[in-house]
Amino acid sequence: MEEKQLVSSFCLCARIMPLNLYLCPMQILDGKIASQAVKEKLKSTVAHLVAEGKRPPHLAVIIVGNNGASETYVASKVKNCAEIGFGSTLIRLDNDVPESVLLQQIETLNNDPAIDGILVQLPLPKHISEPKVIETISADKDVDGFHPVSVGKLVQGLPTFVPATPYGIMLMLEYYQISTKGKHAVIIGRSNIVGRPMSILLSSSHAYGNCTVTVCHSHTPNLKEFCLQADILVAALGKPEFVTADMVKPGAIVIDVGITRVADATAAKGFKIKGDVAFEQVAPLTTAITPVPGGVGLMTIAGLLQNTLQAYLNKFN
Amino acid sequence: MEEKQLVSSFCLCARIMPLNLYLCPMQILDGKIASQAVKEKLKSTVAHLVAEGKRPPHLAVIIVGNNGASETYVASKVKNCAEIGFGSTLIRLDNDVPESVLLQQIETLNNDPAIDGILVQLPLPKHISEPKVIETISADKDVDGFHPVSVGKLVQGLPTFVPATPYGIMLMLEYYQISTKGKHAVIIGRSNIVGRPMSILLSSSHAYGNCTVTVCHSHTPNLKEFCLQADILVAALGKPEFVTADMVKPGAIVIDVGITRVADATAAKGFKIKGDVAFEQVAPLTTAITPVPGGVGLMTIAGLLQNTLQAYLNKFN
């Protein structure tokens, strides 16, 4: 705690110094550590449930086709369920599966009392309507938080499933006790999956909200000006290393949501994972920053697991 | 059109002049004119429907108790329905009506094929849960746009019922052909009824959206700084004459959503209606401004009527 205060006062002084003339002590917001803490707590909750003779929460995951990134995400979700004692069911459908078959599969899971959460891995093949698929998932099992009912309740401040990535970011802010009240958060990106829900969460009235929030996007002509105002900068536009040092206010907190595979012949897999922030040049300016990989990505799974537990608990309350 | 261009170029010059040293030619965004235009179009649509042998759209309004402002709003809604040829049903319930009776009444209207839109006038007495009432209204008849499904679809850019006041503001921007793309909109207030949906609408991708949007509220420490950045300033905090000339950038467009009854012994009714903007001092600085009364308030009804027609049309498509 003492160390954190030292960092704060140093940065306060730093703000009145000219840009780039100093290096600010900076904290890495480590997704591995923060997600592990969430998972340990979940594991202990499951152990208690099972000790009481109850069944553990159960997540069903549907994957359509065999997109490389989707395969990785789905495998990780199943593995994480196992680690904390959740049950999971993985359902694989061919890339050319008719939409009606997918919808029927979802209905079956909706009606199965042994399934608490349902997740259909996106993106889906072009012949399938994503909104239709999302609306078919029962709102009570919508652990991805993409159903209109979940989104509407999020906006209205009612109990709901928060989309996994924004939820993961909030869990990270909570883990590192990052104060947000009254700060100016600038969000680059207005997607339904990240930018939009983040803008709602950070500007709403709760412990890690109450920010003034600015939403920037592809039609923002003077993006750099807005970024330079940010006490908290959330980069969620999906352009590798887009945010450079000249766009960041000294002392800012930077949350990097980007995960892009960039071809790299020197890497064993032929690609490297890059975030939306040019980490090496930006990090020294910040008070705190999430790395990529090892930052927000790991928190997404923590958010999903929390939602699955919540769906389970809602059934019995 | 020529006049509009003249105004624009004058204001462009004015922006580089010191604050308060000039008076900018300004356009009143007249809610009476704009709402009349919407209503004329609706009236003509209804006439066509009836000429084809179809029944007109029908709105059901429920009022609980006898709050003065609510009585005025409800009377105006019924009167406006009649003006354009919509049918309407007004249901009055006592202030101490049990919640279950109100919910049962809503269910009856949900199941009545002759009713297209249902509106329960807010606020409700304390013993009744507003979220429960709102969620009981069928999402297909939610012409107030407050149901979580409507709000979620709004966020996701799907066809939906936009809450009446924000919808009315969008209709006004459309009527006066106010360009929004790339502008910085600052919204004071984050209510579910106005501030939040306005922030979503203005930042979304459509003809009168694509703004960079900043949401300010009671925890914004440096509100004036943000307001001074606004190309479009939306005041929706409910504090009479809160926005003063020193908070407005010369050439801005100002949308005043406030409607507060302020005691005034000199007025016939004992009160005057005040907006959130100190109109007399702010108006000369602006390119365009909505007055109170006679601005956004009238557009709210236009939004509601549009939603009711949409609910009617959705049934037959």
Side-chain angles (χ1 to χ4, degrees):
Chain A
M1 199 58 192
E2 249 178 47
E3 195 189 75
K4 273 189 194 167
Q5 280 175 351
L6 188 68
V7 171
S8 292
S9 39
F10 185 92
C11 287
L12 197 65
C13 303
R15 275 182 201 132
I16 54 170
M17 291 171 67
L19 187 64
N20 288 336
L21 284 189
Y22 70 98
L23 294 182
C24 180
M26 167 267 300
Q27 181 170 32
I28 295 281
L29 303 175
D30 189 320
K32 202 166 175 183
I33 294 174
S35 69
Q36 200 55 43
V38 174
K39 280 158 61 182
E40 286 301 330
K41 219 172 145 190
L42 286 167
K43 194 174 176 176
S44 147
T45 305
V46 175
H48 273 92
L49 289 167
V50 172
E52 285 171 6
K54 294 174 182 157
R55 71 163 175 83
H58 195 108
L59 174 69
V61 180
I62 301 179
I63 183 168
V64 181
N66 46 12
N67 173 293
S70 290
E71 289 280 357
T72 310
Y73 296 146
V74 162
S76 168
K77 285 164 188 172
V78 169
K79 183 169 154 269
N80 274 274
C81 279
E83 271 175 32
I84 62 165
F86 281 12
S88 73
T89 301
L90 176 59
I91 296 164
R92 292 182 170 279
L93 298 174
D94 286 341
N95 198 61
D96 57 358
V97 66
E99 185 184 85
S100 60
V101 172
L102 172 56
L103 299 182
Q104 187 48 54
Q105 178 63 69
I106 294 170
E107 287 295 0
T108 304
L109 296 170
N110 283 342
N111 297 325
D112 185 343
I115 300 292
D116 305 301
I118 302 170
L119 180 155
V120 179
Q121 186 66 44
L122 303 180
L124 290 169
K126 283 206 164 47
H127 69 282
I128 297 176
S129 155
E130 283 189 3
K132 202 185 273 185
V133 165
I134 289 168
E135 286 185 50
T136 302
I137 296 172
S138 160
D140 296 333
K141 299 189 177 187
D142 173 42
V143 289
D144 242 350
F146 295 157
H147 193 289
V149 168
S150 305
V151 178
K153 289 188 175 179
L154 178 70
V155 172
Q156 296 175 327
L158 298 171
T160 187
F161 299 113
V162 178
T165 299
Y167 192 9
I169 295 171
M170 299 312 283
L171 289 169
M172 185 175 251
L173 295 177
E174 189 181 347
Y175 180 79
Y176 284 102
Q177 294 189 20
I178 295 196
S179 143
T180 54
K181 184 172 160 180
K183 287 190 175 155
H184 184 199
V186 174
I187 296 167
I188 318 175
R190 55 181 170 175
S191 74
N192 290 334
I193 296 174
V194 183
R196 183 69 71 194
M198 273 315 293
S199 73
I200 292 162
L201 286 163
L202 285 175
S203 60
S204 295
S205 179
H206 54 76
Y208 293 89
N210 285 319
C211 289
T212 304
V213 170
T214 300
V215 178
C216 299
H217 46 77
S218 51
H219 293 291
T220 299
N222 41 352
L223 183 61
K224 185 176 159 183
E225 257 177 58
F226 285 106
C227 292
L228 280 168
Q229 292 183 34
D231 302 313
I232 299 173
L233 182 62
V234 180
L237 70 162
K239 289 191 181 172
E241 303 193 319
F242 179 86
V243 175
T244 44
D246 58 322
M247 297 168 76
V248 177
K249 179 165 81 168
I253 293 155
V254 175
I255 310 288
D256 187 350
V257 191
I259 303 182
T260 309
R261 293 180 173 194
V262 176
D264 185 334
T266 69
K269 291 180 181 173
F271 64 86
K272 276 193 174 167
I273 300 290
K274 292 280 180 189
D276 287 348
V277 177
F279 185 86
E280 284 185 24
Q281 52 175 285
V282 169
L285 286 170
T286 66
T287 302
I289 186 167
T290 63
V292 176
V296 169
L298 296 171
M299 298 310 295
T300 296
I301 290 197
L304 170 69
L305 297 172
Q306 278 283 163
N307 277 341
T308 305
L309 174 66
Q310 194 56 55
Y312 170 94
L313 294 175
N314 289 348
K315 266 190 192 166
F316 303 109
N317 289 331
Chain B
M1 199 60 193
E2 248 178 48
E3 196 189 74
K4 272 188 195 168
Q5 280 176 350
L6 188 68
V7 171
S8 292
S9 39
F10 185 92
C11 286
L12 197 66
C13 304
R15 276 181 199 133
I16 55 169
M17 291 172 65
L19 187 64
N20 288 335
L21 283 189
Y22 70 98
L23 293 182
C24 180
M26 166 268 299
Q27 180 170 31
I28 295 281
L29 303 175
D30 190 319
K32 203 166 174 183
I33 295 173
S35 70
Q36 199 56 42
V38 174
K39 280 158 59 181
E40 285 303 328
K41 217 171 147 190
L42 286 167
K43 195 173 175 176
S44 146
T45 305
V46 175
H48 273 92
L49 289 167
V50 172
E52 286 171 5
K54 293 175 183 157
R55 69 162 177 82
H58 195 107
L59 174 70
V61 180
I62 301 180
I63 181 168
V64 181
N66 45 12
N67 174 292
S70 291
E71 288 280 358
T72 310
Y73 295 146
V74 162
S76 168
K77 286 164 187 173
V78 169
K79 183 169 154 271
N80 274 275
C81 279
E83 272 175 32
I84 61 165
F86 280 13
S88 73
T89 301
L90 176 59
I91 296 165
R92 292 182 170 278
L93 298 173
D94 285 341
N95 199 60
D96 58 357
V97 64
E99 185 183 86
S100 60
V101 172
L102 173 56
L103 298 182
Q104 188 47 55
Q105 179 64 69
I106 294 170
E107 287 293 1
T108 304
L109 295 169
N110 283 344
N111 296 326
D112 185 344
I115 300 291
D116 305 301
I118 303 170
L119 180 155
V120 179
Q121 185 65 43
L122 304 180
L124 290 169
K126 284 206 165 43
H127 69 282
I128 296 176
S129 156
E130 284 188 3
K132 203 185 272 184
V133 165
I134 289 167
E135 285 184 50
T136 301
I137 296 172
S138 160
D140 295 334
K141 300 190 178 187
D142 174 42
V143 289
D144 243 351
F146 295 158
H147 193 289
V149 167
S150 305
V151 178
K153 289 187 174 178
L154 178 70
V155 172
Q156 295 175 327
L158 299 171
T160 186
F161 300 113
V162 178
T165 299
Y167 191 10
I169 295 171
M170 300 311 284
L171 289 169
M172 186 176 251
L173 295 177
E174 190 182 347
Y175 179 78
Y176 283 102
Q177 293 188 23
I178 295 194
S179 144
T180 54
K181 184 171 160 181
K183 286 191 175 154
H184 184 199
V186 175
I187 296 167
I188 319 175
R190 55 179 169 176
S191 75
N192 290 334
I193 296 174
V194 183
R196 181 70 70 195
M198 275 312 295
S199 73
I200 292 162
L201 285 163
L202 285 174
S203 61
S204 295
S205 178
H206 53 77
Y208 294 89
N210 285 321
C211 289
T212 304
V213 170
T214 300
V215 178
C216 300
H217 45 74
S218 51
H219 292 291
T220 299
N222 41 353
L223 183 61
K224 186 176 157 182
E225 258 177 56
F226 285 105
C227 291
L228 279 169
Q229 291 183 35
D231 302 314
I232 299 173
L233 182 62
V234 180
L237 70 163
K239 289 192 181 170
E241 304 192 319
F242 179 86
V243 175
T244 45
D246 59 323
M247 297 167 76
V248 176
K249 178 165 80 167
I253 293 156
V254 175
I255 310 288
D256 187 351
V257 191
I259 302 182
T260 309
R261 293 182 173 194
V262 177
D264 185 334
T266 68
K269 291 181 180 172
F271 65 84
K272 277 193 174 166
I273 301 289
K274 293 278 181 193
D276 287 348
V277 176
F279 185 86
E280 284 185 24
Q281 52 175 285
V282 168
L285 286 170
T286 66
T287 301
I289 186 168
T290 63
V292 176
V296 170
L298 297 171
M299 298 311 295
T300 297
I301 291 197
L304 171 68
L305 298 172
Q306 279 282 162
N307 276 341
T308 305
L309 174 66
Q310 194 55 55
Y312 170 94
L313 295 175
N314 289 348
K315 266 190 191 167
F316 304 108
N317 290 330

